[in-house]
Amino acid sequence: DRDIQNSVYVSPEIENYVVRLWDASWEPHKLGITLPDVYVEDLVVAGASVRGMSAMVRAAKVCAWLEGRDHVMPDDIHYVLLPSLTHRVFLSPVYDGRREQLMPQFVQALRDHIATP
């Protein structure tokens, strides 16, 4: 794993994209994100942590390596985004019971609202 992590490059543009996605996980309403039957301002209690962001980047590096590349592409980030955010974003109790339904919509909305490099 260490060899993979050291041999796969993450560009500053991809790093910036990841940071913007992670920041948006805290206050999605500030991006103008809407979801059906959800008051988005009350959806998230706590967004993903820096440690979670780091784990997601490591997972994206593995995806790139498995595809035979020495650099991470946006598709690698997209592949690991839902599983990474699903258990790292704390939803308010009123919405947490609908987590399985809401998180794919939430992640897609983040992708739709943040420009991909």
Side-chain angles (χ1 to χ4, degrees), residues 26-61:
W26 282 84
E27 297 180 307
H29 63 280
K30 289 189 175 179
L31 289 177
I33 288 176
T34 60
L35 299 174
D37 302 320
V38 173
Y39 185 63
V40 176
E41 237 177 88
D42 290 340
L43 177 65
V44 176
V45 173
S49 69
V50 172
R51 189 172 62 95
M53 180 175 63
S54 176
M56 187 190 76
V57 170
R58 287 193 309 273
K61 285 182 170 188

PDB file of all heavy atoms in Angstrom, residues 26-61:
ATOM      1  N   TRP A  26     -19.952  20.285   4.420  1.00  0.00           N
ATOM      2  CA  TRP A  26     -20.325  20.934   5.682  1.00  0.00           C
ATOM      3  C   TRP A  26     -21.513  21.872   5.532  1.00  0.00           C
ATOM      4  O   TRP A  26     -22.362  21.941   6.410  1.00  0.00           O
ATOM      5  CB  TRP A  26     -19.121  21.704   6.245  1.00  0.00           C
ATOM      6  CG  TRP A  26     -18.136  20.794   6.896  1.00  0.00           C
ATOM      7  CD1 TRP A  26     -17.135  20.091   6.285  1.00  0.00           C
ATOM      8  CD2 TRP A  26     -18.077  20.450   8.273  1.00  0.00           C
ATOM      9  NE1 TRP A  26     -16.462  19.343   7.200  1.00  0.00           N
ATOM     10  CE2 TRP A  26     -17.013  19.548   8.441  1.00  0.00           C
ATOM     11  CE3 TRP A  26     -18.815  20.831   9.388  1.00  0.00           C
ATOM     12  CZ2 TRP A  26     -16.666  19.010   9.673  1.00  0.00           C
ATOM     13  CZ3 TRP A  26     -18.464  20.293  10.618  1.00  0.00           C
ATOM     14  CH2 TRP A  26     -17.402  19.397  10.750  1.00  0.00           C
ATOM     15  N   GLU A  27     -21.546  22.634   4.456  1.00  0.00           N
ATOM     16  CA  GLU A  27     -22.608  23.631   4.262  1.00  0.00           C
ATOM     17  C   GLU A  27     -23.107  23.611   2.813  1.00  0.00           C
ATOM     18  O   GLU A  27     -22.894  24.573   2.068  1.00  0.00           O
ATOM     19  CB  GLU A  27     -22.097  25.023   4.642  1.00  0.00           C
ATOM     20  CG  GLU A  27     -21.721  25.133   6.111  1.00  0.00           C
ATOM     21  CD  GLU A  27     -21.217  26.509   6.469  1.00  0.00           C
ATOM     22  OE1 GLU A  27     -20.296  27.008   5.802  1.00  0.00           O
ATOM     23  OE2 GLU A  27     -21.766  27.088   7.428  1.00  0.00           O
ATOM     24  N   PRO A  28     -23.763  22.534   2.437  1.00  0.00           N
ATOM     25  CA  PRO A  28     -24.192  22.396   1.038  1.00  0.00           C
ATOM     26  C   PRO A  28     -25.176  23.479   0.599  1.00  0.00           C
ATOM     27  O   PRO A  28     -25.203  23.843  -0.574  1.00  0.00           O
ATOM     28  CB  PRO A  28     -24.824  21.006   0.984  1.00  0.00           C
ATOM     29  CG  PRO A  28     -25.202  20.695   2.394  1.00  0.00           C
ATOM     30  CD  PRO A  28     -24.181  21.390   3.243  1.00  0.00           C
ATOM     31  N   HIS A  29     -25.946  23.998   1.530  1.00  0.00           N
ATOM     32  CA  HIS A  29     -26.920  25.029   1.173  1.00  0.00           C
ATOM     33  C   HIS A  29     -26.249  26.291   0.627  1.00  0.00           C
ATOM     34  O   HIS A  29     -26.830  27.015  -0.169  1.00  0.00           O
ATOM     35  CB  HIS A  29     -27.820  25.370   2.366  1.00  0.00           C
ATOM     36  CG  HIS A  29     -27.070  25.945   3.531  1.00  0.00           C
ATOM     37  ND1 HIS A  29     -26.365  25.156   4.421  1.00  0.00           N
ATOM     38  CD2 HIS A  29     -26.902  27.220   3.938  1.00  0.00           C
ATOM     39  CE1 HIS A  29     -25.792  25.927   5.327  1.00  0.00           C
ATOM     40  NE2 HIS A  29     -26.113  27.191   5.062  1.00  0.00           N
ATOM     41  N   LYS A  30     -25.003  26.531   1.007  1.00  0.00           N
ATOM     42  CA  LYS A  30     -24.290  27.716   0.512  1.00  0.00           C
ATOM     43  C   LYS A  30     -23.939  27.600  -0.972  1.00  0.00           C
ATOM     44  O   LYS A  30     -23.610  28.591  -1.594  1.00  0.00           O
ATOM     45  CB  LYS A  30     -23.047  27.977   1.352  1.00  0.00           C
ATOM     46  CG  LYS A  30     -23.385  28.476   2.742  1.00  0.00           C
ATOM     47  CD  LYS A  30     -22.162  28.935   3.485  1.00  0.00           C
ATOM     48  CE  LYS A  30     -22.581  29.546   4.812  1.00  0.00           C
ATOM     49  NZ  LYS A  30     -21.430  29.991   5.593  1.00  0.00           N
ATOM     50  N   LEU A  31     -24.008  26.377  -1.499  1.00  0.00           N
ATOM     51  CA  LEU A  31     -23.787  26.176  -2.935  1.00  0.00           C
ATOM     52  C   LEU A  31     -25.083  26.266  -3.720  1.00  0.00           C
ATOM     53  O   LEU A  31     -25.079  26.162  -4.932  1.00  0.00           O
ATOM     54  CB  LEU A  31     -23.177  24.796  -3.194  1.00  0.00           C
ATOM     55  CG  LEU A  31     -21.747  24.562  -2.781  1.00  0.00           C
ATOM     56  CD1 LEU A  31     -21.351  23.120  -3.059  1.00  0.00           C
ATOM     57  CD2 LEU A  31     -20.819  25.500  -3.524  1.00  0.00           C
ATOM     58  N   GLY A  32     -26.174  26.386  -3.000  1.00  0.00           N
ATOM     59  CA  GLY A  32     -27.470  26.394  -3.675  1.00  0.00           C
ATOM     60  C   GLY A  32     -28.006  25.004  -3.944  1.00  0.00           C
ATOM     61  O   GLY A  32     -28.900  24.821  -4.767  1.00  0.00           O
ATOM     62  N   ILE A  33     -27.459  24.006  -3.257  1.00  0.00           N
ATOM     63  CA  ILE A  33     -27.911  22.624  -3.442  1.00  0.00           C
ATOM     64  C   ILE A  33     -29.311  22.460  -2.883  1.00  0.00           C
ATOM     65  O   ILE A  33     -29.614  22.936  -1.784  1.00  0.00           O
ATOM     66  CB  ILE A  33     -26.932  21.643  -2.773  1.00  0.00           C
ATOM     67  CG1 ILE A  33     -25.642  21.599  -3.583  1.00  0.00           C
ATOM     68  CG2 ILE A  33     -27.540  20.256  -2.618  1.00  0.00           C
ATOM     69  CD1 ILE A  33     -24.554  20.746  -2.985  1.00  0.00           C
ATOM     70  N   THR A  34     -30.140  21.798  -3.650  1.00  0.00           N
ATOM     71  CA  THR A  34     -31.478  21.443  -3.194  1.00  0.00           C
ATOM     72  C   THR A  34     -31.680  19.954  -3.412  1.00  0.00           C
ATOM     73  O   THR A  34     -31.119  19.360  -4.334  1.00  0.00           O
ATOM     74  CB  THR A  34     -32.569  22.220  -3.961  1.00  0.00           C
ATOM     75  OG1 THR A  34     -32.467  21.913  -5.351  1.00  0.00           O
ATOM     76  CG2 THR A  34     -32.428  23.723  -3.754  1.00  0.00           C
ATOM     77  N   LEU A  35     -32.463  19.352  -2.542  1.00  0.00           N
ATOM     78  CA  LEU A  35     -32.855  17.949  -2.665  1.00  0.00           C
ATOM     79  C   LEU A  35     -34.354  17.873  -2.434  1.00  0.00           C
ATOM     80  O   LEU A  35     -34.894  18.617  -1.620  1.00  0.00           O
ATOM     81  CB  LEU A  35     -32.126  17.080  -1.629  1.00  0.00           C
ATOM     82  CG  LEU A  35     -30.596  17.033  -1.711  1.00  0.00           C
ATOM     83  CD1 LEU A  35     -30.036  16.250  -0.538  1.00  0.00           C
ATOM     84  CD2 LEU A  35     -30.132  16.425  -3.021  1.00  0.00           C
ATOM     85  N   PRO A  36     -35.023  16.954  -3.125  1.00  0.00           N
ATOM     86  CA  PRO A  36     -36.474  16.839  -2.948  1.00  0.00           C
ATOM     87  C   PRO A  36     -36.848  16.528  -1.496  1.00  0.00           C
ATOM     88  O   PRO A  36     -36.222  15.676  -0.866  1.00  0.00           O
ATOM     89  CB  PRO A  36     -36.863  15.673  -3.865  1.00  0.00           C
ATOM     90  CG  PRO A  36     -35.707  15.458  -4.777  1.00  0.00           C
ATOM     91  CD  PRO A  36     -34.497  15.999  -4.090  1.00  0.00           C
ATOM     92  N   ASP A  37     -37.844  17.237  -0.982  1.00  0.00           N
ATOM     93  CA  ASP A  37     -38.364  17.006   0.374  1.00  0.00           C
ATOM     94  C   ASP A  37     -37.318  17.149   1.471  1.00  0.00           C
ATOM     95  O   ASP A  37     -37.396  16.484   2.501  1.00  0.00           O
ATOM     96  CB  ASP A  37     -39.020  15.621   0.477  1.00  0.00           C
ATOM     97  CG  ASP A  37     -40.152  15.453  -0.511  1.00  0.00           C
ATOM     98  OD1 ASP A  37     -40.916  16.418  -0.696  1.00  0.00           O
ATOM     99  OD2 ASP A  37     -40.261  14.364  -1.102  1.00  0.00           O
ATOM    100  N   VAL A  38     -36.314  18.000   1.242  1.00  0.00           N
ATOM    101  CA  VAL A  38     -35.252  18.201   2.227  1.00  0.00           C
ATOM    102  C   VAL A  38     -35.011  19.700   2.383  1.00  0.00           C
ATOM    103  O   VAL A  38     -34.847  20.413   1.396  1.00  0.00           O
ATOM    104  CB  VAL A  38     -33.944  17.509   1.789  1.00  0.00           C
ATOM    105  CG1 VAL A  38     -32.798  17.864   2.728  1.00  0.00           C
ATOM    106  CG2 VAL A  38     -34.122  16.007   1.707  1.00  0.00           C
ATOM    107  N   TYR A  39     -34.972  20.142   3.628  1.00  0.00           N
ATOM    108  CA  TYR A  39     -34.555  21.503   3.927  1.00  0.00           C
ATOM    109  C   TYR A  39     -33.040  21.430   4.106  1.00  0.00           C
ATOM    110  O   TYR A  39     -32.533  21.073   5.168  1.00  0.00           O
ATOM    111  CB  TYR A  39     -35.266  22.018   5.180  1.00  0.00           C
ATOM    112  CG  TYR A  39     -34.983  23.465   5.480  1.00  0.00           C
ATOM    113  CD1 TYR A  39     -35.360  24.462   4.583  1.00  0.00           C
ATOM    114  CD2 TYR A  39     -34.343  23.833   6.644  1.00  0.00           C
ATOM    115  CE1 TYR A  39     -35.092  25.798   4.842  1.00  0.00           C
ATOM    116  CE2 TYR A  39     -34.075  25.163   6.921  1.00  0.00           C
ATOM    117  CZ  TYR A  39     -34.451  26.138   6.018  1.00  0.00           C
ATOM    118  OH  TYR A  39     -34.183  27.456   6.269  1.00  0.00           O
ATOM    119  N   VAL A  40     -32.300  21.706   3.029  1.00  0.00           N
ATOM    120  CA  VAL A  40     -30.864  21.434   2.975  1.00  0.00           C
ATOM    121  C   VAL A  40     -30.084  22.163   4.075  1.00  0.00           C
ATOM    122  O   VAL A  40     -29.084  21.660   4.557  1.00  0.00           O
ATOM    123  CB  VAL A  40     -30.299  21.740   1.571  1.00  0.00           C
ATOM    124  CG1 VAL A  40     -28.796  21.567   1.519  1.00  0.00           C
ATOM    125  CG2 VAL A  40     -30.962  20.836   0.540  1.00  0.00           C
ATOM    126  N   GLU A  41     -30.569  23.321   4.505  1.00  0.00           N
ATOM    127  CA  GLU A  41     -29.872  24.033   5.578  1.00  0.00           C
ATOM    128  C   GLU A  41     -29.799  23.211   6.867  1.00  0.00           C
ATOM    129  O   GLU A  41     -28.890  23.381   7.667  1.00  0.00           O
ATOM    130  CB  GLU A  41     -30.559  25.375   5.865  1.00  0.00           C
ATOM    131  CG  GLU A  41     -29.601  26.522   5.714  1.00  0.00           C
ATOM    132  CD  GLU A  41     -30.291  27.849   5.921  1.00  0.00           C
ATOM    133  OE1 GLU A  41     -30.362  28.294   7.082  1.00  0.00           O
ATOM    134  OE2 GLU A  41     -30.728  28.421   4.908  1.00  0.00           O
ATOM    135  N   ASP A  42     -30.746  22.294   7.061  1.00  0.00           N
ATOM    136  CA  ASP A  42     -30.772  21.454   8.262  1.00  0.00           C
ATOM    137  C   ASP A  42     -30.306  20.026   8.006  1.00  0.00           C
ATOM    138  O   ASP A  42     -30.359  19.191   8.905  1.00  0.00           O
ATOM    139  CB  ASP A  42     -32.192  21.407   8.837  1.00  0.00           C
ATOM    140  CG  ASP A  42     -32.617  22.732   9.433  1.00  0.00           C
ATOM    141  OD1 ASP A  42     -31.734  23.556   9.745  1.00  0.00           O
ATOM    142  OD2 ASP A  42     -33.824  22.941   9.585  1.00  0.00           O
ATOM    143  N   LEU A  43     -29.859  19.718   6.812  1.00  0.00           N
ATOM    144  CA  LEU A  43     -29.511  18.341   6.459  1.00  0.00           C
ATOM    145  C   LEU A  43     -28.273  17.844   7.186  1.00  0.00           C
ATOM    146  O   LEU A  43     -28.276  16.773   7.785  1.00  0.00           O
ATOM    147  CB  LEU A  43     -29.299  18.223   4.940  1.00  0.00           C
ATOM    148  CG  LEU A  43     -28.851  16.870   4.412  1.00  0.00           C
ATOM    149  CD1 LEU A  43     -29.924  15.810   4.649  1.00  0.00           C
ATOM    150  CD2 LEU A  43     -28.520  16.977   2.923  1.00  0.00           C
ATOM    151  N   VAL A  44     -27.205  18.616   7.162  1.00  0.00           N
ATOM    152  CA  VAL A  44     -25.909  18.167   7.671  1.00  0.00           C
ATOM    153  C   VAL A  44     -25.637  18.749   9.054  1.00  0.00           C
ATOM    154  O   VAL A  44     -25.705  19.955   9.253  1.00  0.00           O
ATOM    155  CB  VAL A  44     -24.774  18.576   6.701  1.00  0.00           C
ATOM    156  CG1 VAL A  44     -23.411  18.203   7.264  1.00  0.00           C
ATOM    157  CG2 VAL A  44     -24.998  17.943   5.336  1.00  0.00           C
ATOM    158  N   VAL A  45     -25.332  17.871   9.994  1.00  0.00           N
ATOM    159  CA  VAL A  45     -24.908  18.297  11.328  1.00  0.00           C
ATOM    160  C   VAL A  45     -23.400  18.535  11.321  1.00  0.00           C
ATOM    161  O   VAL A  45     -22.910  19.512  11.874  1.00  0.00           O
ATOM    162  CB  VAL A  45     -25.278  17.239  12.397  1.00  0.00           C
ATOM    163  CG1 VAL A  45     -24.701  17.595  13.750  1.00  0.00           C
ATOM    164  CG2 VAL A  45     -26.779  17.066  12.471  1.00  0.00           C
ATOM    165  N   ALA A  46     -22.672  17.625  10.685  1.00  0.00           N
ATOM    166  CA  ALA A  46     -21.218  17.757  10.562  1.00  0.00           C
ATOM    167  C   ALA A  46     -20.774  17.112   9.260  1.00  0.00           C
ATOM    168  O   ALA A  46     -21.149  15.983   8.965  1.00  0.00           O
ATOM    169  CB  ALA A  46     -20.516  17.106  11.742  1.00  0.00           C
ATOM    170  N   GLY A  47     -19.983  17.844   8.507  1.00  0.00           N
ATOM    171  CA  GLY A  47     -19.455  17.309   7.264  1.00  0.00           C
ATOM    172  C   GLY A  47     -18.278  16.398   7.530  1.00  0.00           C
ATOM    173  O   GLY A  47     -17.928  16.094   8.675  1.00  0.00           O
ATOM    174  N   ALA A  48     -17.654  15.965   6.469  1.00  0.00           N
ATOM    175  CA  ALA A  48     -16.546  15.028   6.568  1.00  0.00           C
ATOM    176  C   ALA A  48     -15.303  15.700   7.157  1.00  0.00           C
ATOM    177  O   ALA A  48     -15.090  16.888   6.993  1.00  0.00           O
ATOM    178  CB  ALA A  48     -16.247  14.464   5.191  1.00  0.00           C
ATOM    179  N   SER A  49     -14.494  14.897   7.826  1.00  0.00           N
ATOM    180  CA  SER A  49     -13.288  15.401   8.485  1.00  0.00           C
ATOM    181  C   SER A  49     -12.094  15.411   7.526  1.00  0.00           C
ATOM    182  O   SER A  49     -12.125  14.799   6.457  1.00  0.00           O
ATOM    183  CB  SER A  49     -12.948  14.512   9.681  1.00  0.00           C
ATOM    184  OG  SER A  49     -12.525  13.236   9.209  1.00  0.00           O
ATOM    185  N   VAL A  50     -11.042  16.070   7.943  1.00  0.00           N
ATOM    186  CA  VAL A  50      -9.804  16.098   7.163  1.00  0.00           C
ATOM    187  C   VAL A  50      -9.234  14.683   7.062  1.00  0.00           C
ATOM    188  O   VAL A  50      -8.734  14.282   6.008  1.00  0.00           O
ATOM    189  CB  VAL A  50      -8.786  17.065   7.804  1.00  0.00           C
ATOM    190  CG1 VAL A  50      -7.432  16.961   7.125  1.00  0.00           C
ATOM    191  CG2 VAL A  50      -9.306  18.490   7.742  1.00  0.00           C
ATOM    192  N   ARG A  51      -9.329  13.923   8.129  1.00  0.00           N
ATOM    193  CA  ARG A  51      -8.855  12.535   8.112  1.00  0.00           C
ATOM    194  C   ARG A  51      -9.631  11.724   7.076  1.00  0.00           C
ATOM    195  O   ARG A  51      -9.072  10.915   6.341  1.00  0.00           O
ATOM    196  CB  ARG A  51      -9.000  11.918   9.507  1.00  0.00           C
ATOM    197  CG  ARG A  51      -8.342  10.568   9.647  1.00  0.00           C
ATOM    198  CD  ARG A  51      -8.364  10.114  11.108  1.00  0.00           C
ATOM    199  NE  ARG A  51      -9.713   9.955  11.619  1.00  0.00           N
ATOM    200  CZ  ARG A  51     -10.378   8.805  11.641  1.00  0.00           C
ATOM    201  NH1 ARG A  51      -9.818   7.715  11.179  1.00  0.00           N
ATOM    202  NH2 ARG A  51     -11.592   8.741  12.127  1.00  0.00           N
ATOM    203  N   GLY A  52     -10.930  11.976   6.990  1.00  0.00           N
ATOM    204  CA  GLY A  52     -11.756  11.301   5.995  1.00  0.00           C
ATOM    205  C   GLY A  52     -11.366  11.694   4.581  1.00  0.00           C
ATOM    206  O   GLY A  52     -11.339  10.866   3.669  1.00  0.00           O
ATOM    207  N   MET A  53     -11.056  12.973   4.392  1.00  0.00           N
ATOM    208  CA  MET A  53     -10.625  13.459   3.086  1.00  0.00           C
ATOM    209  C   MET A  53      -9.326  12.766   2.683  1.00  0.00           C
ATOM    210  O   MET A  53      -9.166  12.322   1.544  1.00  0.00           O
ATOM    211  CB  MET A  53     -10.428  14.975   3.125  1.00  0.00           C
ATOM    212  CG  MET A  53      -9.989  15.566   1.811  1.00  0.00           C
ATOM    213  SD  MET A  53      -9.885  17.376   1.820  1.00  0.00           S
ATOM    214  CE  MET A  53      -8.606  17.665   3.022  1.00  0.00           C
ATOM    215  N   SER A  54      -8.422  12.638   3.614  1.00  0.00           N
ATOM    216  CA  SER A  54      -7.145  11.985   3.350  1.00  0.00           C
ATOM    217  C   SER A  54      -7.351  10.513   2.975  1.00  0.00           C
ATOM    218  O   SER A  54      -6.727  10.004   2.041  1.00  0.00           O
ATOM    219  CB  SER A  54      -6.250  12.107   4.581  1.00  0.00           C
ATOM    220  OG  SER A  54      -5.052  11.420   4.394  1.00  0.00           O
ATOM    221  N   ALA A  55      -8.245   9.843   3.677  1.00  0.00           N
ATOM    222  CA  ALA A  55      -8.543   8.435   3.374  1.00  0.00           C
ATOM    223  C   ALA A  55      -9.143   8.306   1.970  1.00  0.00           C
ATOM    224  O   ALA A  55      -8.829   7.364   1.235  1.00  0.00           O
ATOM    225  CB  ALA A  55      -9.488   7.861   4.421  1.00  0.00           C
ATOM    226  N   MET A  56      -9.987   9.260   1.592  1.00  0.00           N
ATOM    227  CA  MET A  56     -10.593   9.204   0.271  1.00  0.00           C
ATOM    228  C   MET A  56      -9.530   9.386  -0.818  1.00  0.00           C
ATOM    229  O   MET A  56      -9.561   8.695  -1.840  1.00  0.00           O
ATOM    230  CB  MET A  56     -11.683  10.253   0.109  1.00  0.00           C
ATOM    231  CG  MET A  56     -12.426  10.065  -1.198  1.00  0.00           C
ATOM    232  SD  MET A  56     -13.538  11.409  -1.590  1.00  0.00           S
ATOM    233  CE  MET A  56     -12.368  12.637  -2.112  1.00  0.00           C
ATOM    234  N   VAL A  57      -8.596  10.274  -0.612  1.00  0.00           N
ATOM    235  CA  VAL A  57      -7.533  10.482  -1.589  1.00  0.00           C
ATOM    236  C   VAL A  57      -6.677   9.217  -1.703  1.00  0.00           C
ATOM    237  O   VAL A  57      -6.306   8.813  -2.812  1.00  0.00           O
ATOM    238  CB  VAL A  57      -6.682  11.715  -1.239  1.00  0.00           C
ATOM    239  CG1 VAL A  57      -5.432  11.800  -2.104  1.00  0.00           C
ATOM    240  CG2 VAL A  57      -7.517  12.984  -1.381  1.00  0.00           C
ATOM    241  N   ARG A  58      -6.403   8.570  -0.593  1.00  0.00           N
ATOM    242  CA  ARG A  58      -5.645   7.323  -0.647  1.00  0.00           C
ATOM    243  C   ARG A  58      -6.405   6.262  -1.443  1.00  0.00           C
ATOM    244  O   ARG A  58      -5.818   5.535  -2.253  1.00  0.00           O
ATOM    245  CB  ARG A  58      -5.327   6.820   0.765  1.00  0.00           C
ATOM    246  CG  ARG A  58      -4.253   7.641   1.462  1.00  0.00           C
ATOM    247  CD  ARG A  58      -3.698   6.982   2.709  1.00  0.00           C
ATOM    248  NE  ARG A  58      -4.708   6.538   3.651  1.00  0.00           N
ATOM    249  CZ  ARG A  58      -5.246   7.287   4.613  1.00  0.00           C
ATOM    250  NH1 ARG A  58      -4.884   8.547   4.735  1.00  0.00           N
ATOM    251  NH2 ARG A  58      -6.145   6.798   5.434  1.00  0.00           N
ATOM    252  N   ALA A  59      -7.720   6.186  -1.247  1.00  0.00           N
ATOM    253  CA  ALA A  59      -8.538   5.230  -2.001  1.00  0.00           C
ATOM    254  C   ALA A  59      -8.532   5.579  -3.493  1.00  0.00           C
ATOM    255  O   ALA A  59      -8.467   4.679  -4.347  1.00  0.00           O
ATOM    256  CB  ALA A  59      -9.961   5.212  -1.458  1.00  0.00           C
ATOM    257  N   ALA A  60      -8.582   6.854  -3.821  1.00  0.00           N
ATOM    258  CA  ALA A  60      -8.544   7.278  -5.228  1.00  0.00           C
ATOM    259  C   ALA A  60      -7.204   6.914  -5.863  1.00  0.00           C
ATOM    260  O   ALA A  60      -7.153   6.535  -7.040  1.00  0.00           O
ATOM    261  CB  ALA A  60      -8.808   8.777  -5.331  1.00  0.00           C
ATOM    262  N   LYS A  61      -6.125   7.007  -5.100  1.00  0.00           N
ATOM    263  CA  LYS A  61      -4.814   6.600  -5.612  1.00  0.00           C
ATOM    264  C   LYS A  61      -4.810   5.111  -5.961  1.00  0.00           C
ATOM    265  O   LYS A  61      -4.247   4.706  -6.980  1.00  0.00           O
ATOM    266  CB  LYS A  61      -3.710   6.896  -4.588  1.00  0.00           C
ATOM    267  CG  LYS A  61      -3.336   8.348  -4.490  1.00  0.00           C
ATOM    268  CD  LYS A  61      -2.202   8.518  -3.489  1.00  0.00           C
ATOM    269  CE  LYS A  61      -1.615   9.903  -3.517  1.00  0.00           C
ATOM    270  NZ  LYS A  61      -0.400   9.986  -2.691  1.00  0.00           N
TER     271      LYS A  61
END
